[in-house]
C-alpha cells in the first residue's frame, strides 16, 4: 500500500464556540481520489481549509510528508497542496488566462512574469477543463459552469502534488462534472474533493469520507462508506441505493414516504 | 494546441515588452501635461526670453524656476501618490470604490498634520510625520471598527471612512477657530486640498516618501493580484496574506501621508484614476500600479493648470481639490451609472 502523502490526525476546529470539525482523521495516498461528502454545514469546507493548511486546527494535526502543514511557508505549501475555494471571487476584470496564470505564482519570482513554461502549463490546464477557446475572455463574462472550470484550471496549473477541491462540480453539468473526475482519475492525480452528488462520490473515487455534524460517519472505499445505512445516519432521510448492472456505478434516491 | 484564440490571449498577458510599452505611453502623457503646466498660467510666459540672452530680464526664468516648476513637480508627486494609494487600498479591500479620501485615511492624515501646525511644529520634515501618524491611527481605528470575528467588512469600512472624514473636517475647522489668524490660513488648505508653492527641499522630502512607498507597493504587486481572489485563495496560491496586507497598508498610508502633508484633502484622484486606467489596460496590479501613478500625476497636472487658467474668470485661484472634485465627481457618477456591473466586476 502506498505511503500517505497527507495525514490528518484527530483534527478539531471551532469557530468561536461552534464546533465545526471534531476528531477527524484521514489520510490521502499518492494517486488517490478521496471524496468528502456530507449534508450542508457538516464541516466539509472547514475540513478542506484545514487540509490545505489555511487554518490551524485547535487540536490534532495535518501533516504533509511528516511535518505540520501550517508550519510550511506559504510558497512551499502552495507547491505541495493546491486549494479551490467553494466560491472563487474575481472582483476586478481578469481574463481567463490571466486568472489561470495566477496558479503559477508560487513557482515564479519577483514580478511573476509568465515564462513560456508557465503559459504552456496554463494552456494545458485550460484544455484539461475543456475551455482553451475561452482563454482571452473576461472571467466576468463567462457562464457559471465556465467560471468554475476556469477556477479549476487555475488550481491545476499550480502543479501541486495534492489537490484540495471544495465542490469543483458546483455549477457543472452532468457531462462536465463526470468528465472532470474521470480525467483526474485518468491522470492519476492525488486529490481530496468535496462532492454533493452521491453518484459521483460512489462511482469515481477510491475512498469516501462521510461527515455529519463535523464528525466522521464512515471513511472507507465508496461501496463500504456510502451505504443506505450510513447515508441515512448522515442526511437523516431513508435512501435507496441503485447501481448499474456491472456494479461500477451507483447512486442514491430518497425513499418515498 | 489551440491556435488563434489563445494566441490573442497570450498577447494580452503581461510581458516585459507590454510593461515597458504601456508605461512609456503614459510617461509621454505625463511629459505633455508637465509641459502644459509649465507653459500655461495667469501670466503669459515669454519663451523667447529664455533662449535669447539679450531679452532676458530674468522674469520668465523666475516664473518658471521659482513658481511653475516646483508646483508642477508637486502636482506630479501628489497625483502619483494618491492614485497609487488608491490602487493599493482597492486591492486591500477588493473593492474598486476604495480610495484614501473615502476611507478617511486622507482625513486622518490631514488632522494629524493640522494638529502639529496648530501647536507650532511646521518644519517640512515634521508635518508629514504627523500626517503619517494621523493616517495610521485612523486606519487602525477604522479597521478595528469594521472587524467582526476576524473578518473586515468592506461596507462598514467605507461607511466609517465617510463618517470619519466629516469628523476630521470638523476637528480641523475647530483647530482653525482656536488658533491665531496667520496659522488659520495655513490650516484652511488642509480642508480645501490645494497645491501651494513649496520649496525644493519640501519636494525632496515628499519625493522620498513617494519613492519608498511606491517601490514597496510595486514589489507586492504580483501578490496583490492573488489577494483580489480573497484571503484563502491568495494564501493557497502561496501568498503570505497577513504580511502582504500589512505591507500594503503601511506603505499606502506612507505615501498618502506624504501627499496630504503638502496638499491637504484632495478627493477623487485616488478613485477615478485607477478606475479609468483599469478600463484602458486591465486590472493586473503589476501594470495598474505604475500606470495609475503616472495617470494620477497627469490628472493632477492638468487639474492644477486648469485652476490657474481659470484665475481670470473667478478672480481667485480655485484650489486644485475643487477642480478634481468638479471633474471627478460627475465623471464617477456617470461611470457608475453607465456601468454598474463594471464596478462590481471591472
Amino acid at each position: 500500500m502506498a505511503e500517505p502523502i497527507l495525514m490528518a490526525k484527530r483534527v478539531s476546529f471551532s469557530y468561536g464556540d461552534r464546533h465545526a470539525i471534531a476528531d477527524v482523521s484521514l489520510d490521502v495516498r499518492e494517486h488517490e481520489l478521496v471524496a468528502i461528502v456530507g449534508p450542508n454545514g457538516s464541516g466539509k469546507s472547514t475540513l478542506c481549509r484545514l487540509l490545505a493548511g489555511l487554518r490551524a486546527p485547535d487540536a490534532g494535526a495535518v501533516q504533509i510528508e511528516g511535518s505540520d502543514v501550517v508550519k510550511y511557508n506559504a510558497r512551499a505549501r502552495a507547491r505541495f497542496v493546491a486549494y479551490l475555494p467553494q466560491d472563487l471571487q474575481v472582483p476586478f476584470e481578469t481574463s481567463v488566462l490571466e486568472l489561470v496564470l495566477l496558479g503559477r505564482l508560487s513557482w515564479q519570482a519577483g514580478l511573476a512574469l509568465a515564462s513560456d513554461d508557465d503559459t504552456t502549463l496554463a494552456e494545458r490546464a485550460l484544455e484539461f477543463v475543456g475551455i482553451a477557446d475561452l482563454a482571452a475572455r473576461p472571467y466576468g463574462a463567462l457562464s457559471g459552469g465556465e467560471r468554475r472550470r476556469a477556477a479549476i484550471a487555475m488550481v491545476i496549473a499550480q502543479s501541486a502534488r495534492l489537490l484540495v477541491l471544495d465542490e469543483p462540480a458546483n455549477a457543472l453539468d452532468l457531462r462536465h462534472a463526470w468528465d472532470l473526475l474521470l480525467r483526474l482519475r485518468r491522470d492519476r492525480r492525488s486529490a481530496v474533493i468535496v462532492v454533493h452528488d452521491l453518484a459521483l462520490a460512489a462511482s469515481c473515487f477510491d475512498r469516501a469520507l462521510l461527515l455529519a455534524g463535523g464528525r466522521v460517519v464512515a471513511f472507507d472505499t465508496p461501496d463500504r462508506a456510502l451505504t443506505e445505512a450510513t447515508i441515512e445516519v448522515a442526511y437523516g432521510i431513508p435512501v435507496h441505493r441503485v447501481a448499474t448492472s456491472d456494479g461500477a456505478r451507483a447512486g442514491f434516491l430518497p425513499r418515498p414516504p | 494546441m489551440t491556435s488563434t484564440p489563445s494566441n490573442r490571449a497570450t498577447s494580452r498577458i503581461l510581458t516585459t515588452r507590454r510593461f515597458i510599452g504601456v508605461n512609456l505611453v503614459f510617461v509621454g502623457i505625463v511629459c505633455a501635461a508637465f509641459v502644459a503646466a509649465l507653459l500655461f498660467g495667469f501670466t503669459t510666459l515669454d519663451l523667447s526670453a529664455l533662449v535669447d540672452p539679450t531679452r532676458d530680464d530674468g522674469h520668465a526664468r523666475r516664473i518658471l524656476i521659482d513658481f511653475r516648476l516646483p508646483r508642477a513637480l508637486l502636482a506630479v508627486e501628489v497625483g502619483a501618490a494618491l492614485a497609487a494609494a488608491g490602487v493599493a487600498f482597492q486591492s486591500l479591500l477588493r473593492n474598486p470604490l476604495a480610495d484614501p479620501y473615502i476611507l478617511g485615511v486622507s482625513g486622518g492624515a490631514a488632522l494629524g498634520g493640522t494638529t502639529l501646525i496648530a501647536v507650532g511644529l511646521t518644519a517640512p520634515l515634521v508635518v508629514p510625520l504627523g500626517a503619517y501618524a494621523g493616517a495610521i491611527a485612523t486606519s487602525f481605528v477604522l479597521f478595528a471598527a469594521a472587524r467582526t470575528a476576524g473578518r473586515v467588512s468592506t461596507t462598514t469600512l467605507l461607511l466609517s471612512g465617510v463618517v470619519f472624514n466629516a469628523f476630521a473636517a470638523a476637528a480641523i475647522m475647530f483647530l482653525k477657530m482656536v488658533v491665531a489668524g496667520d496659522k488659520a490660513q495655513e490650516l484652511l488648505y488642509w480642508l480645501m486640498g490645494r497645491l501651494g508653492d513649496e520649496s525644493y527641499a519640501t519636494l525632496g522630502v515628499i519625493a522620498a516618501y513617494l519613492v519608498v512607498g511606491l517601490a514597496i507597493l510595486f514589489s507586492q504587486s504580483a501578490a496583490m493580484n492573488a489577494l483580489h481572489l480573497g484571503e484563502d485563495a491568495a494564501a493557497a496560491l502561496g501568498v503570505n496574506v497577513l504580511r502582504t496586507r500589512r505591507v500594503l497598508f503601511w506603505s499606502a498610508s506612507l505615501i498618502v501621508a506624504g501627499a496630504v502633508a503638502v496638499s491637504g484633502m484632495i478627493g477623487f484622484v485616488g478613485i477615478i484614476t485607477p478606475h479609468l486606467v483599469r478600463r484602458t489596460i486591465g486590472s493586473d496590479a503589476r501594470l495598474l500600479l505604475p500606470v495609475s501613478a503616472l495617470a494620477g500625476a497627469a490628472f493632477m497636472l492638468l487639474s492644477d493648470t486648469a485652476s490657474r487658467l481659470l484665475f481670470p474668470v473667478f478672480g481667485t485661484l480655485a484650489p486644485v481639490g475643487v477642480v478634481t472634485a468638479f471633474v471627478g465627481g460627475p465623471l464617477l457618477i456617470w461611470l457608475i451609472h453607465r456601468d454598474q456591473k463594471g464596478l462590481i466586476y471591472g
Side-chain angles (χ1 to χ4, degrees), chain A residues 49 54-55 74-75 77-78 83 89-93 98 101-102 105-106 111-113 123 132 135-136 147 158, chain B residues 2 6 9-10 12-14 16 90 94 151 218 221 228-229 232 235-239 278 283 286 344-346:
Chain A
R49 290 191 196 103
L54 304 173
R55 299 283 186 284
R75 183 179 281 260
R77 190 188 60 221
Y83 162 78
Q89 306 216 335
V90 183
F92 300 106
E93 187 173 300
E98 281 177 315
L101 278 169
L102 277 178
L105 193 63
S106 61
L111 259 197
L113 292 173
E123 282 173 349
R147 284 186 196 184
Q158 201 168 327
Chain B
T2 45
S6 67
T10 313
R12 221 192 86 100
I13 64 170
L14 191 63
T16 314
Q90 287 160 20
R94 308 171 58 215
R151 303 259 158 196
F218 185 60
S221 59
H228 295 163
L229 308 181
D232 281 344
L237 288 171
V239 173
R278 219 178 255 122
S283 51
R286 296 168 296 180
I344 299 162
Y345 281 112

Side-chain angles (χ1 to χ4, degrees), chain B residues 271-290:
Chain B
I271 185 166
I272 202 92
T273 317
H275 193 74
L276 288 172
V277 172
R278 219 178 255 122
R279 287 164 168 270
T280 320
I281 58 144
S283 51
D284 187 332
R286 296 168 296 180
L287 193 56
L288 180 67
L289 185 73

Side-chain angles (χ1 to χ4, degrees), chain B residues 157-331:
Chain B
L157 198 55
L158 291 173
L159 280 176
S160 20
V162 172
V163 172
F164 185 81
N165 256 346
F167 171 81
I172 293 169
M173 272 193 278
F174 172 74
L175 285 172
K176 175 175 165 338
M177 202 181 74
V178 295
V179 298
D182 56 327
K183 274 187 194 162
Q185 194 53 42
E186 211 171 328
L187 293 188
L188 185 61
Y189 84 79
W190 294 96
L191 290 173
M192 303 191 306
R194 61 146 226 197
L195 299 175
D197 304 313
E198 302 293 342
S199 70
Y200 282 100
T202 306
L203 289 173
V205 171
I206 304 307
Y209 271 69
L210 178 62
V211 168
V212 171
L214 269 182
I216 299 174
L217 283 183
F218 185 60
S219 72
Q220 303 298 314
S221 59
M224 281 159 82
N225 284 334
L227 273 186
H228 295 163
L229 308 181
E231 284 179 34
D232 281 344
L237 288 171
V239 173
N240 183 333
V241 173
L242 263 179
R243 200 197 61 194
T244 308
R245 292 186 71 147
R246 215 170 276 153
V247 169
L248 287 177
F249 177 74
W250 288 91
S251 40
S253 299
L254 182 73
I255 58 178
V256 171
V260 170
V262 285
S263 68
M265 290 157 71
I266 297 177
F268 295 100
V269 182
I271 185 166
I272 202 92
T273 317
H275 193 74
L276 288 172
V277 172
R278 219 178 255 122
R279 287 164 168 270
T280 320
I281 58 144
S283 51
D284 187 332
R286 296 168 296 180
L287 193 56
L288 180 67
L289 185 73
V291 168
S292 292
L294 291 168
F299 181 35
M300 192 61 83
L301 281 166
L302 294 176
S303 298
D304 186 54
T305 308
S307 89
R308 285 180 293 124
L309 284 176
L310 289 172
F311 178 81
V313 182
F314 302 113
T316 180
L317 198 56
V320 73
V322 171
V323 179
T324 60
F326 277 9
V327 176
L331 185 59

Side-chain angles (χ1 to χ4, degrees), chain B residues 83-197:
Chain B
V87 172
F89 283 120
Q90 287 160 20
S91 273
L92 266 174
L93 296 184
R94 308 171 58 215
N95 189 315
L97 286 176
D99 135 86
Y101 185 80
I102 291 179
L103 280 172
V105 179
S106 290
L111 187 54
T114 307
T115 310
L116 286 192
I117 291 178
V119 298
L121 294 165
T122 53
L125 257 169
V126 176
V127 177
L129 284 179
Y132 191 41
I136 294 286
T138 309
S139 312
F140 265 120
V141 171
L142 294 180
F143 269 85
R147 189 191 307 271
T148 37
R151 303 259 158 196
V152 174
S153 153
T154 308
T155 316
T156 316
L157 198 55
L158 291 173
L159 280 176
S160 20
V162 172
V163 172
F164 185 81
N165 256 346
F167 171 81
I172 293 169
M173 272 193 278
F174 172 74
L175 285 172
K176 175 175 165 338
M177 202 181 74
V178 295
V179 298
D182 56 327
K183 274 187 194 162
Q185 194 53 42
E186 211 171 328
L187 293 188
L188 185 61
Y189 84 79
W190 294 96
L191 290 173
M192 303 191 306
R194 61 146 226 197
L195 299 175
D197 304 313

